């Protein structure tokens, strides 16, 4: 028996060390596909627990972020050393500030060989993107040691604005989930998180000067069950709500900033304001009414949800704008402006008198008047505004960025009027729409936006290119309206893998895109990653394509 002991031990050792020495994935599997990459074929870099992270002063927070990511992914808690310390013979991951080679915004270079993995970037976002690529070149398993491939990657985005939205009014999500969502965005190299904080079904942001916004406006007495078109409508009679404190907001903004993500809050006015008038009826066209926060979806022309143009309302908007501006470092604040029904203004003599006194010829002009006022309040705080494309219904100055949820037509109109445009057309970028035609699929609002429709979407409509107006397209964004998403895993199910497809639309040169290869990489890189994150995703994405429409 004794003579077999050595070979058995050796066998166990070989199996064990194979298990512990993770296999590095291929450079061909990166999502979104980089601008240029080569495997240089030199000696791979050995990463083990002696490897150091060395960062220039600009990237100290990203060094800590990378340290956390590697601890989670590999089980290796690497030490962060300053560039001055002697590192000896161990390998290192260098986060270098560089404005010469990494000359574009958000660009990074990643080079590896011998004992060094070096990432160079001129800004935080660029370094964060380099970190995401690095993660994809490492195995998704706990290791003692791993061979990092020798590569040279030069990479930067196609569009300056790459956004994901989340509606927290229809359903609210815990701060921990918001952080997870930001991690998903960072992994996919998005740089803007559009936080839809207010709507008819709940106001979710603490405002110190108007406390009833959250005491009253953050709570509804009941919520619709099932689909909004179901008859008869049924309600659950459960009080539902919540809000984010200003401290929580600061925490989220900081978490995002470390990950190179700007947080754009949306305060949706002058429509979609039912929660505001439930808290402060004096800002409505019927101040004598006791309004309830909405308990159903889709209020347009069905229930009064507009602000009345009176001095108290404008005072309110100015104060809230200033509090919001102080809370969010973003250069842009989103002020909504969508789906503002005109019937309540038409029916109100005081509103009509206001319009007459201010030479506003119709309700569309009144809507734009609101937008202009709030833009002015925000300008005093050096902020610019973003609004949904309906803000162009009246005459508006050109600094406002238009977020277009319509089609190419509205995008072209906005660009012709010299407005920068963010494309977020319902088809295919509303991720609250179905991604299959399977009648057993989880309930969604309507529509059909399968994976290939998202992947083939071009943010620059052909007509716009012909008119040489393409420079007005800043980028694109997918919207996640949560009427039918009551909990985090439903959000994940609706966004994955469509968000992965959008990341490649926004990042990668169209000439480099290929749907078959993309699906291969979703299998190789993303499905294991979703699983590692513990996140839900839509599994049947191969089967449902636009051809089935
Ligand atoms: C329209 S598009 C809305 C949202 C809804 C969404 C549902 C836009 C700016 N407003 O209030 O949640 O449709 O898809």
């Amino acid at each position: 028996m004794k003579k077999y002991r050595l070979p058995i031990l050796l066998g166990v050792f070989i199996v064990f060390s194979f298990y512990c020495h993770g296999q590095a994935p291929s450079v061909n599997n990166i999502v979104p596909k980089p601008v240029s990459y080569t495997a240089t074929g030199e000696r791979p870099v050995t990463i083990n627990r002696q490897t150091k992270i060395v960062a220039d002063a600009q990237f100290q927070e990203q060094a800590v972020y990378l340290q956390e990511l590697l601890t989670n992914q590999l089980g290796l808690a690497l030490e962060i050393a300053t560039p001055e310390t002697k590192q000896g013979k161990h390998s290192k991951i260098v986060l270098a500030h560089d404005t010469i080679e990494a000359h574009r915004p958000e660009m990074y270079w990643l080079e590896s060989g011998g004992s060094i993995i070096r990432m160079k970037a001129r800004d935080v976002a660029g370094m964060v993107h380099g970190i995401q690529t690095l993660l994809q070149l490492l195995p998704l398993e706990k290791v003692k040691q791993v061979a990092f491939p020798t590569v040279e990657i030069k990479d930067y985005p196609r569009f300056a604005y790459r956004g994901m939205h989340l509606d927290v009014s229809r359903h609210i999500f815990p701060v921990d989930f918001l952080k997870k969502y930001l991690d998903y965005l960072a992994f996919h190299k998005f740089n803007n998180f559009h936080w839809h904080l207010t709507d008819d079904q709940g106001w979710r942001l603490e405002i110190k000067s108007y406390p009833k916004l959250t005491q009253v406006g953050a709570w509804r007495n009941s919520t619709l069950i099932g689909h909004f078109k179901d008859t008869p409508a049924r309600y659950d009679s459960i009080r539902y709500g919540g809000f984010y404190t200003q401290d929580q907001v600061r925490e989220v903004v900081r978490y995002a900033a470390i990950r190179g993500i700007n947080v754009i809050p949306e305060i949706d006015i002058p429509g979609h304001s039912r929660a505001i008038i439930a808290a402060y009826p004096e800002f409505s066209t019927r101040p004598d009414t006791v309004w309830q926060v909405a308990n159903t979806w889709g209020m347009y022309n069905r229930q009064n949800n507009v602000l009345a143009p009176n001095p108290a309302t404008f005072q309110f908007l100015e104060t809230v704008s200033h509090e919001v501006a102080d809370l969010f470092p973003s250069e842009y604040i989103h002020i909504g402006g969508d789906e503002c029904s005109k019937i309540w203004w038409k029916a109100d003599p005081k509103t009509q008198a206001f319009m007459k006194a201010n030479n506003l010829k119709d309700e569309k002009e009144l809507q734009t008047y609101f937008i202009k006022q709030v833009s002015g309040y925000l300008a005093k705080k050096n902020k610019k505004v973003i609004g949904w494309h309906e803000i162009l219904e009246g005459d508006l100055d050109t600094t406002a960025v238009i977020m277009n949820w319509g089609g190419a037509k509205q995008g072209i109109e906005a660009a012709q009027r010299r407005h920068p445009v963010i494309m977020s057309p319902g088809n295919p970028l509303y991720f609250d729409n179905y991604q299959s035609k399977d009648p057993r699929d989880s309930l969604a609002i309507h529509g059909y936006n399968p994976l290939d429709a998202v992947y083939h979407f071009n943010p620059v409509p052909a007509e716009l290119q012909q008119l040489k107006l393409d420079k007005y397209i800043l980028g694109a964004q997918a919207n996640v309206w949560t009427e039918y998403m009551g909990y985090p895993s439903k959000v994940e199910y609706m966004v994955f893998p469509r968000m992965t497809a959008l990341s490649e639309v926004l990042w990668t040169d169209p000439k480099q895109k290929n749907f078959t290869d993309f699906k291969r990489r979703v299998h190789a890189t993303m499905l294991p990653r979703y699983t590692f994150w513990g996140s839900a995703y839509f599994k049947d994405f191969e089967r449902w394509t636009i051809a089935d429409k």
Side-chain angles (χ1 to χ4, degrees), residues 80-98:
I80 300 174
T82 58
E84 293 77 42
T85 18
K86 280 231 173 338
Q87 273 103 47
K89 59 180 170 25
H90 304 299
S91 61
K92 53 184 171 177
I93 304 175
V94 180
L95 279 54
H97 184 244
D98 174 304

Side-chain angles (χ1 to χ4, degrees), residues 499-510:
M499 175 183 184
T500 305
L502 181 61
S503 80
E504 192 146 306
V505 168
L506 290 169
W507 185 271
T508 306
D509 186 325

Side-chain angles (χ1 to χ4, degrees), residues 116-304:
I116 299 182
I117 301 169
R118 179 174 281 115
M119 288 183 285
K120 293 181 248 181
R122 58 177 248 180
D123 49 33
V124 164
M127 186 50 69
V128 170
H129 304 324
I131 289 174
Q132 310 309 325
T133 296
L134 177 135
L135 290 181
Q136 294 186 42
L137 294 170
L138 289 165
L140 266 177
E141 62 185 343
K142 304 291 178 268
V143 294
K144 287 259 180 311
Q145 179 160 308
V146 60
F148 188 89
T150 48
V151 293
E152 188 177 327
I153 300 173
K154 180 177 92 172
D155 203 11
Y156 51 84
R158 176 179 173 205
F159 288 102
Y161 184 101
R162 304 178 308 282
M164 283 294 300
H165 151 288
L166 185 67
D167 164 14
V168 297
S169 172
R170 279 57 181 267
H171 286 103
I172 185 168
F173 302 92
V175 169
D176 277 350
F177 180 68
L178 297 179
K179 290 182 174 173
K180 243 182 152 184
Y181 197 72
L182 288 164
D183 287 338
Y184 300 153
L185 265 63
F187 184 87
H188 288 92
K189 301 184 169 93
F190 284 91
N191 61 359
N192 278 285
F193 169 48
H194 172 174
W195 197 359
H196 185 79
L197 281 160
T198 74
D199 215 306
D200 300 315
Q201 294 78 8
W203 178 284
R204 306 274 174 241
L205 172 65
E206 178 188 24
I207 296 291
K208 306 263 190 205
S209 24
Y210 288 90
K212 282 198 281 179
L213 284 172
T214 47
Q215 286 163 3
V216 177
W219 304 91
R220 57 180 184 250
N221 290 330
S222 190
T223 301
L224 186 83
I225 298 170
H227 197 272
F228 143 75
K229 293 207 168 133
D230 293 350
T231 45
R234 288 187 305 133
Y235 298 87
D236 66 6
S237 304
I238 299 169
R239 187 170 151 85
Y240 179 94
F243 63 93
Y244 303 103
T245 65
Q246 296 199 353
D247 280 342
Q248 286 176 317
V249 168
R250 278 185 278 269
E251 187 185 331
V252 168
V253 166
R254 193 178 134 66
Y255 191 89
I258 293 169
R259 287 153 183 76
I261 297 168
N262 175 52
V263 180
I264 301 173
E266 181 184 352
I267 306 297
D268 198 352
I269 56 103
H272 284 275
S273 295
R274 179 64 168 228
I276 303 176
I277 63 173
Y280 296 97
E282 57 269 39
F283 308 149
S284 77
T285 57
R286 303 289 305 275
D288 51 339
T289 310
V290 180
W291 306 105
Q292 302 291 325
V293 174
N295 56 9
T296 184
W297 319 127
M299 300 278 284
Y300 188 75
N301 281 353
R302 291 168 64 224
Q303 293 185 37
N304 191 333

Side-chain angles (χ1 to χ4, degrees), residues 167 170 199 272 338-339 388 405 430 432 445 481 483:
D167 164 14
R170 279 57 181 267
D199 215 306
H272 284 275
D338 59 314
E339 298 180 321
W388 299 108
W405 63 274
Y430 270 32
D432 59 334
I445 190 160
W481 304 103
E483 289 93 336

Side-chain angles (χ1 to χ4, degrees), residues 42-75:
E42 282 169 50
R43 226 162 21 97
V45 186
T46 301
I47 299 187
N48 55 29
R49 63 190 179 82
Q50 255 111 33
T51 303
K52 305 278 183 285
I53 298 172
V54 185
D56 282 343
Q58 292 84 349
F59 301 130
Q60 286 303 317
E61 289 181 325
Q62 286 63 45
V64 176
Y65 170 51
L66 174 62
Q67 185 185 44
E68 278 168 25
L69 289 166
L70 293 178
T71 307
N72 290 341
Q73 181 168 331
L74 302 174

Side-chain angles (χ1 to χ4, degrees), residues 307-320:
L307 298 178
N310 64 45
T313 303
F314 289 114
Q315 179 61 57
F316 164 80
L317 290 173
E318 177 162 21
T319 309
V320 171

